Each structure stands twice: as C-alpha cells, then as structure tokens.
Amino acid sequence: MLQNVKDVLIGRHSGSESTEGAGATAFGMSFALKAGAHATIESASLSLRLHSTWTTDHAADLAATESRSLQALAKAAAKAGIECIAHTPDRDFDAFLGSFVVQARLHDVTILDAEPRALANGRRLIEGSLTQSGRPLIVVPPGCTEFANRNILVAWDGSATAARAVNDALPLLRTAANVHVVSVTGEKILPALAAQAGLISHLGCHGIWAVERRLAVRNGDVAQTLRDAARDQTDLIIMGGIAHGRVRDLILGGVTQSLLSDSPVPLFMSH
C-alpha cells in the first residue's frame, strides 16, 4: 500500500490510447490499485477545432465511442476494487487543457502517456500538468502498463525541483526495495553534489535506505547518461522538471525535454 496517495488523475488525449503501446490508463489503474486510491479518468475526445458538418458529426461519433470505452473501463475498475469515475468533456483541446490542469491540482498525482513530439497536444498536456498544477506527474512510456516501484533511480542535481520531486515521491520510495541516488558529473559544476550524502541521510530519516552513485556524463549528454543507467533493472526515475522563463512561456530544460521524448521507464516528475 502506498501511504498518503488517495486520488489519481489519469489523462487520455486524442489518439493516445489508439497508439500502439500507449498504456497510461492501464498503468494508472495499476497504480491506483496498489495505492488503494480513487481514480479519475479525463479524456479529450478531440484535439482540433472542427467546423464542417461532416467533421462535427464524426467528432460526435468519436466522443460517443470514447464515452462508451471510458464507462467500460470504470466498470472493469470497480470489479477490480478500484473506485473510478470517467469523463469525456465536450470541448476543444485548449479548453480541455485548462480544465485538466485545474483537476490535476485537486489530485495527489497525475498520470499521462509519453509524447515524443515536442509540439504535439500530448506534450502540451504533459508540460501544462507539470508546470501549472503544483502536483507530481508520472509520464508513462509506450508499452508500460503495470506500475512498479521496486527499483527506483533518483536523478539528483541538488536543485529545488529535484528536492520537491523526492519529497513528493516519499510514498513510493518508502515501499521500494532499492533506491539509487544518481548524480551525473562532468557536464557542469554542481555544488550540490556535496549534498548528495545529505540526501541519503535525509531519506534514512524517513526509513528509506538509499545508495549514492555518481556517473560521469557520456558525450556531454546528461539525459542519455540517465537513460543508460535506468536500463539496468530500474522501474521508475524520479526527477525535477526544470523550466526556464522566456517572456511569458515556461520552456522546459534540455534534459527534461530529452527524457520526455525518450525514456525507457516511467518518469515521476515535480516542478
């Protein structure tokens, strides 16, 4: 049982569940079952504004199909012992995104499918949830349909976002068998590396036994170094979602963007 996780928000965007290997819904249900948490599924049946009669009718058909699919999911969840509600809001994607972020603020964790395309609506949903909800987000790569937290890699750079991610992930860390606190060295000077041992001590105060690891950056690519480390029996990466302010926009940092595009395991992220 994952303590202090009481409700989970699962997002589906147009095409996410029809894409081969996408599995945030199944992963989210597995997570909710392990946590004993209530699950809410929000689905954007459409990602575009449609105007013609044919596209409007087609949109209605798609929305009806998605609604039936969600109701079937809710019934299956109930049989598995998961309290679940599901919604298919009848609105365009921009309106859905704003509503979804508000819902994310009211749940302990949000779960979404990964989206490798930086300008796709799925990535907008990820970035909005991460930077505007104030809640942790789990991004699920293709083919991952079962939640597991036996082996966790904490990507530690000493930043405030990394510290928040670790704190948000304490319920998962407490029930993990193996926790590795990994810092990548050589790409830039990280004064907080000295605090890595302090993080190990801090986790110990919470009853979490963790191992300290320092990895030399490979070819100047921190994200690839973390990907390579995670391929070795890792179930989950915990990391801060770094963002840089530019005019009015929040642009996610290079390491964050790279791992959002390609990660071998789910990412537990906070901002």
Side-chain angles (χ1 to χ4, degrees), residues 119-138:
L119 299 180
N121 281 333
R123 182 66 73 84
R124 290 178 60 203
L125 191 60
I126 289 170
E127 294 178 358
S129 300
L130 177 62
T131 63
Q132 298 176 40
S133 73
R135 298 288 190 168
L137 169 70
I138 299 178

Side-chain angles (χ1 to χ4, degrees), residues 67-77:
S67 180
R68 289 191 295 270
S69 174
L70 289 178
Q71 295 310 312
L73 278 170
K75 290 180 180 179

Side-chain angles (χ1 to χ4, degrees), residues 12-14 41-50 59-60 62-64 66 87-104 121 125:
R12 288 157 61 106
H13 59 85
S14 179
I41 304 175
E42 290 277 344
S43 174
S45 59
L46 292 175
S47 296
L48 301 173
R49 296 178 184 270
L50 304 175
L62 289 175
E66 177 68 356
H87 303 288
T88 308
D90 183 15
R91 61 190 69 158
D92 62 70
F93 187 82
D94 287 340
F96 171 79
L97 176 58
S99 173
F100 188 84
V101 169
V102 171
Q103 285 297 312
N121 281 333
L125 191 60

Side-chain angles (χ1 to χ4, degrees), residues 162-176:
R164 174 170 291 184
V166 170
N167 184 72
D168 288 344
L170 285 175
L172 283 65
L173 291 165
R174 288 191 184 101
T175 57

Side-chain angles (χ1 to χ4, degrees), residues 164-250:
R164 174 170 291 184
V166 170
N167 184 72
D168 288 344
L170 285 175
L172 283 65
L173 291 165
R174 288 191 184 101
T175 57
N178 302 293
V179 177
H180 289 239
V181 176
V182 175
S183 293
V184 178
T185 63
E187 187 262 351
K188 60 182 178 180
I189 297 175
L190 292 176
L193 279 177
Q196 191 179 28
L199 177 61
I200 300 295
S201 176
H202 170 69
L203 291 174
C205 292
H206 287 272
I208 300 162
W209 186 82
V211 175
E212 177 182 352
R213 293 175 61 190
R214 296 188 183 185
L215 302 177
V217 65
R218 299 180 183 178
N219 301 317
D221 192 333
V222 174
Q224 187 58 47
T225 304
L226 290 171
R227 271 191 288 269
D228 292 342
R231 295 186 200 281
D232 183 21
Q233 296 182 336
T234 298
D235 298 314
L236 188 72
I237 294 175
I238 293 171
M239 62 179 290
I242 302 297
H244 307 292
R246 294 182 182 176
V247 193
R248 288 184 173 181
D249 296 326
L250 284 171

Side-chain angles (χ1 to χ4, degrees), residues 140-160:
V140 183
C144 186
T145 58
E146 186 78 17
F147 169 73
N149 67 322
R150 179 176 176 79
N151 301 298
I152 293 180
L153 185 157
V154 177
W156 178 252
D157 62 0
S159 66

